[in-house]
Structures are given as structure tokens and as C-alpha cells.
Amino acid sequence: MVADDALTRLVREEGTRVLATLARVTGSIDLAEDAAQDAVVRALETWPRDGVPENPRAWLLLTARRRAVDIIRREARRAGKEAEATMFAGAEPEPPEVVRDDLLRLVFTCCHPALSLEAQVALALRTLGGLSTAEVARGLLVPEATMAKRLTRAKQKIAQAGIPYRVPPAEQLPARLTGVAATIYLIFNEGYAAGAGADLVRVALTAEAVRLARLLAELMPDEPTALGLLALLLLHDARRGARLDGAGGQVLLADQDRTRWDQGRSRRGRARRPGAAPHPDRPDGYVVQAAIAACHALAPSYAETNWDAVISWYDVLLTMRDSPVVRLNRAVAVAERDGPAAGLALVDGIGGLDGYPWWHATRAELLRRDGRPDAAKAAYERAITLGLNEPQLAHLRRRVAELPG
């Protein structure tokens, strides 16, 4: 019997692929989402009792197809709809390469330029990433109610505009690139540090994001954005083996055993970077972030990190993507080079992050290093209230327990 958490992950991961296939077959994201969700619920009800089927995806796909047929027949008993329903009701499961293409098609459908960039990314995260509305809202730093309305409007616009479910021709790819890249990046982020739950890392999400980034780079091999994104994800994913201790606890970058980093993946990430600087005509944020990640990958130890280079790259990134989170990351680098007081002054000058747990956690770390334990404790405790995964919460609680007094 599969453990409850592992079974839930399996069902949801396969459910995302089923949703992508149904979206292609039915032409409706709404219908596909309803049918796939019904199949997921049934699996979670029956598999613990009956056991996991030999081919979980085929079971989910068949169940979801039947549900889609029921919905179509109930809501519109027109001849055309009946024919459409029977056309896909008994089809055989698709081979893996078709499922792969279905997932990519779904990304491009969600990232159609008729939708706002915010709606593109939100919809793709909700459908392709399998994230809940709350997780999407947290990842994009907006209220959950706002996100729910945004998702509803986006799906309605896709239906009303008749946006096709396909990878667009080459000449239309650039118009979708920003949304597609942002979606893949945020899927990776949710996998790299899960927003909630028992695990620090959701390996299936990081693997899916890296795979999609590879496909995007194959589609657009001359685009700095596509190459920079793939390089960035590979460089971060190379650290995965060192990010957890033997008990599943979080290990921070400064404390990681770098011999446990995947050096092959790190080399491939560095090799994917399109040059040592952003494209002169099209500066790209992913290329710059990959350069920052490469600074860490090339340092023999944390103490030997070239913080001048890291800060310089953050300065470049701020010229193209000036956001509170980028400023927070730069402040951390300044603290490593110039001391905690210098970093803390920058952190305290950043607005708009009171609901962001890592702003408070960063303040807490710098206050602790600056010899201010009472203020550090308050900042740690504020971070703990803002929703993190269990390994992250355990790490912050240990930090509080280690404070003097």
C-alpha cells in the first residue's frame, strides 16, 4: 500500500497530465479540469481501499474521459456534441511523447497574448502546475480572492475567443515567450521550495519544469530567455541533493556539502548560459539570474563566493526587473560582503513584503548576527505565522530555540 502522502502526490501529478490530454481532446480547459478533478477525487477514495492500479495514468484518463462524456451529454444533447463525446470516450491512452506535447500545448494555450501576462501565468500554474488557487496566489503575492476571479476570467476569455489548443507556429512563439517562461520558472519555484506541506522539495514539479524548459529551448534555440531559463533551473536543481539532511531537514546554502551537488547538471547549466552578459539588444532577467547561480556554482565554498560579482549581477537585474524580492536577495548578498548591519539597513528599506515570510526570516537572520536576539525572535515568529512548508518551519523554530535568553 502506498503511503497517504505519496499516493496523493502520485494522483495529483498524473492528474495534471490527464488534464492536459483532456484539454486537447475536448478543446475546453473548464471541461477538462472538471473531469480530471472528478477522476482525482475517485482515485483518492478508491485506491487506498483497492490498491494502486498497474497503470495509474490510464485509470485516471479513462475515468476522466467517462466523466467528460457525462458532462457533455448532460449539458448539451445536440447531435454534434453526442458525436464528440463518443469520439473520445473509448480511446486508448496516449504514449508518453504525446502526453509531453499535451503539456506543452497547455502551457502555450494558457499563455496566449489575448490574456494579460498575470492571467497567463496564473492559469498555467493552476492547470499545468497543479497548484491550488491559494498556492498560485501565494506564488504571485496576491490575495486568494483576487486570484480566484483572475482565473475565472482567464478561462472564460479562452472559451469566448476560441483560443486553439496547440503549440503556435514559429512566428508566433516570441509573443508567448514571456508568459511561458514565467510559468515554467514559477512551477520550478514551487517544486524547489514547496509553499506548504511535509516536504521541502516537490521533485515531480522541479523535474517537470526542467523538462519543459528543455522543450522550450529546443523550440527557440536562439532566444536568450529560453536558454537563460534552462541554465538557471539546471544550476539550482544541481543543489537538490545537498538541501536536505538525513532527517529531511532543510540545509541552507551556506551549510551545504558541495560534494553532494550534481556537478554534471551544474556544468550543463553553465554551458547553457547564452554568453557572459545579457544580450545587448534584449537584456534578459533569466540570463542574469543564471549568472548569479553560476557564481555560487563556481565557488569552492560559501566563504569563497565572489560577492562583488553577485551584487553586480543583482544591480544589472534591478535595471530590468526592479522588484522587492530582487532587492531582498541583493540585500542578503550585501550582508555577506559588508556585514549584517549593512544588509539589515537595505532590508528595512524594502516596502511591500510584510506578508512575505522570507522578508521576516531574512530580517531575523541579520538581527541574530547583529547581536539583537529579542528583535530576531520577533521576526522569526512573524515569519512562522505566514505559511511555509514543514522543513522550513522546523528550521525557523530551531533558530528561535538557539537564541540566547
Side-chain angles (χ1 to χ4, degrees):
M1 177 65 65
V2 179
D4 287 346
D5 286 348
L7 185 144
T8 299
R9 285 195 299 272
L10 171 67
V11 171
R12 289 181 175 167
E13 289 158 12
E14 294 296 347
T16 298
R17 291 159 175 78
V18 168
L19 186 155
T21 296
L22 281 180
R24 170 175 56 80
V25 173
T26 66
S28 167
I29 290 178
D30 262 338
L31 174 59
E33 197 168 27
D34 288 344
Q37 181 61 34
D38 184 77
V40 165
V41 170
R42 293 193 184 196
L44 292 174
E45 291 173 346
T46 61
W47 291 4
R49 181 190 68 228
D50 301 337
V52 178
E54 184 176 347
N55 188 334
R57 185 182 304 168
W59 189 101
L60 286 165
L61 185 57
L62 180 60
T63 303
R65 286 177 185 274
R66 288 171 175 167
R67 177 58 178 160
V69 170
D70 290 343
I71 293 171
I72 290 172
R73 286 174 173 166
R74 184 188 69 229
E75 295 184 356
R77 293 188 172 275
R78 299 190 299 270
K81 287 289 184 182
E82 288 289 334
E84 177 185 338
T86 57
M87 179 178 67
F88 69 81
E92 292 295 319
E94 284 81 354
E97 62 271 15
V98 175
V99 174
R100 179 200 67 184
D101 291 340
D102 282 343
L103 288 163
L104 195 62
R105 288 187 191 103
L106 184 54
V107 178
F108 276 103
T109 300
C110 294
C111 295
H112 193 280
L115 304 175
S116 70
L117 179 60
E118 293 82 4
Q120 291 175 26
V121 174
L123 183 59
L125 287 173
R126 178 71 182 87
T127 53
L128 179 77
L131 308 187
S132 68
T133 301
E135 288 171 331
V136 175
R138 183 168 55 244
L140 297 178
L141 302 180
V142 301
E144 184 175 349
T146 300
M147 183 53 61
K149 293 177 183 176
R150 188 175 293 173
L151 289 167
T152 298
R153 287 195 298 268
K155 287 187 283 188
Q156 288 173 344
K157 189 159 190 177
I158 285 176
Q160 292 165 0
I163 292 173
Y165 180 76
R166 61 184 174 87
V167 176
E171 65 272 13
Q172 294 178 18
L173 288 174
R176 313 266 185 114
L177 180 57
T178 299
V180 171
T183 297
I184 295 171
Y185 175 73
L186 289 169
I187 290 172
F188 182 87
N189 279 356
E190 178 61 27
Y192 191 75
D199 299 322
L200 174 68
V201 179
R202 296 170 66 178
V203 175
L205 278 185
T206 59
E208 189 60 46
V210 170
R211 192 184 63 77
L212 289 169
R214 288 187 192 279
L215 290 174
L216 187 63
E218 289 171 8
L219 277 173
M220 310 179 77
D222 297 322
E223 280 289 344
T225 293
L227 298 176
L229 175 65
L230 178 56
L232 174 64
L233 301 196
L234 288 171
L235 286 163
H236 279 300
D237 201 42
R239 306 177 197 161
R240 188 199 316 158
R243 295 181 62 230
L244 295 172
D245 61 23
Q250 182 180 23
V251 181
L252 299 182
L253 179 61
D255 303 317
Q256 288 173 14
D257 178 358
R258 297 188 177 214
T259 65
R260 298 182 61 196
W261 287 5
D262 186 331
Q263 296 302 324
R265 180 157 286 206
S266 180
R267 284 192 297 272
R268 290 193 294 275
R270 297 197 303 274
R272 282 286 187 173
R273 289 190 299 137
H279 192 286
D281 301 319
R282 291 175 292 166
D284 181 79
Y286 297 110
V287 174
V288 176
Q289 290 179 80
I292 294 168
C295 289
H296 292 293
L298 291 168
S301 68
Y302 190 77
E304 296 172 271
T305 303
N306 186 342
W307 294 111
D308 284 335
V310 171
I311 293 166
S312 177
W313 280 116
Y314 274 121
D315 289 339
V316 174
L317 187 58
L318 283 169
T319 66
M320 59 188 73
R321 188 181 299 172
D322 190 344
S323 75
V325 173
V326 173
R327 289 189 173 275
L328 180 64
N329 290 331
R330 181 184 182 278
V332 171
V334 170
E336 295 298 335
R337 186 188 67 181
D338 301 337
L344 187 61
L346 294 175
V347 170
D348 285 342
I350 301 170
L353 291 180
D354 186 60
Y356 186 58
W358 296 115
W359 183 76
H360 295 281
T362 301
R363 287 193 74 247
E365 286 291 312
L366 296 179
L367 287 163
R368 179 186 63 80
R369 289 168 53 187
D370 202 38
R372 299 162 62 183
D374 291 342
K377 180 180 180 182
Y380 279 128
E381 290 177 343
R382 172 64 174 148
I384 288 168
T385 68
L386 291 174
L388 296 165
N389 60 53
E390 287 302 325
Q392 290 169 334
L393 290 172
H395 168 76
L396 294 180
R397 290 175 182 134
R398 283 196 301 273
R399 285 295 209 224
V400 172
E402 291 166 358
L403 290 171

